[in-house]
């Protein structure tokens, strides 16, 4: 089964996830699925995670943030790239202290909503920054016994 999954291309858009979902439908019981996402489009991801949980798979959501998302530019002029469902737009804008405060407040609400949704689904939730080494994070999760590795046999 894992060799079949390793042959699939990474899913860059949820609308292209059908091939992955059809393979994941075979999962049941003693399986761990790690979902790496920015959770911009939450509903379809939570639907997938809910389906995996009904198949008794363990689900761990790794919520990925860019460094600028977690620590926005200091007050003053900033070049920002806005990313939304319709593409990317570059713009220059003035970020004052109040805008930064409101952004951080909204970010906290967003992070809490994703954490709460994962908890309701019975899925683990882990936040990380996009510049972190995924290999190091996985090894840390193994060391913390969040992920358990069994030898085949």
């Amino acid at each position: 089964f894992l060799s079949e999954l390793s042959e699939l291309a990474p899913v860059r858009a949820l609308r292209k996830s059908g091939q992955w979902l059809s393979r994941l439908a075979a999962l049941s019981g003693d399986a761990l699925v790690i979902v790496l996402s920015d959770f911009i489009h939450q509903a379809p991801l939570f639907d997938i995670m809910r389906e995996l949980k009904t198949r008794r798979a363990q689900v761990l959501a790794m919520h990925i943030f860019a460094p600028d998302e977690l620590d926005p530019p200091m007050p003053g002029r900033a070049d920002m790239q806005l990313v939304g469902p319709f593409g990317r737009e570059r713009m220059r804008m003035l970020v004052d202290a109040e805008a930064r405060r409101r952004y951080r407040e909204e970010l906290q609400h967003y992070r809490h909503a994703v954490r709460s949704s994962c908890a309701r689904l019975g899925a683990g939730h882990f936040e990380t920054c996009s510049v972190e080494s995924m290999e190091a994070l996985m090894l840390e999760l193994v060391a913390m016994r969040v992920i358990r590795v069994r030898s085949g046999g």
Side-chain angles (χ1 to χ4, degrees):
F1 176 75
L2 289 177
S3 62
E4 287 180 33
L5 286 180
S6 67
E7 294 170 8
L8 295 173
V11 177
R12 303 253 186 251
L14 287 173
R15 66 183 177 278
K16 298 178 182 175
S17 63
Q19 192 179 22
W20 271 91
L21 292 176
S22 66
R23 298 286 170 84
L24 290 175
L27 285 178
S28 64
D30 199 17
L32 170 67
V33 177
I34 301 174
V35 177
L36 287 86
S37 177
D38 58 11
F39 286 88
I40 297 284
H41 304 287
Q42 295 175 22
L45 283 170
F46 290 136
D47 288 345
I48 291 166
M49 292 165 64
R50 188 175 296 105
E51 176 64 24
L52 290 166
K53 292 299 289 180
T54 64
R55 297 176 181 284
R56 295 187 13 240
Q58 296 296 312
V59 178
L60 175 61
M62 290 188 74
H63 194 167
I64 313 284
F65 289 93
D68 285 349
E69 287 178 295
L70 294 173
D71 189 22
M74 295 299 288
R77 287 229 173 266
D79 282 325
M80 304 194 80
Q81 183 170 346
L82 306 177
V83 179
F86 303 109
R88 299 174 187 269
E89 180 182 339
R90 224 160 158 75
M91 64 186 304
R92 195 165 187 83
M93 61 188 296
L94 181 63
V95 179
D96 63 10
E98 178 61 15
R100 192 167 198 245
R101 185 195 66 72
R102 285 194 335 257
Y103 171 81
R104 285 182 175 226
E105 188 176 287
E106 285 300 314
L107 178 63
Q108 289 300 352
H109 290 298
Y110 167 69
R111 292 167 79 180
H112 176 75
V114 173
R115 270 193 307 271
S116 296
S117 294
C118 288
R120 276 193 303 278
L121 290 171
H125 178 267
F126 183 84
E127 290 182 351
T128 189
C129 189
S130 60
V131 297
E132 295 291 327
S133 159
M134 285 298 131
E135 180 180 9
L137 286 172
M138 290 299 143
L139 291 173
E140 186 177 335
L141 291 173
V142 169
M144 293 169 44
R145 299 186 55 85
V146 172
I147 298 174
R148 293 193 177 97
V149 179
R150 287 191 240 162
S151 60

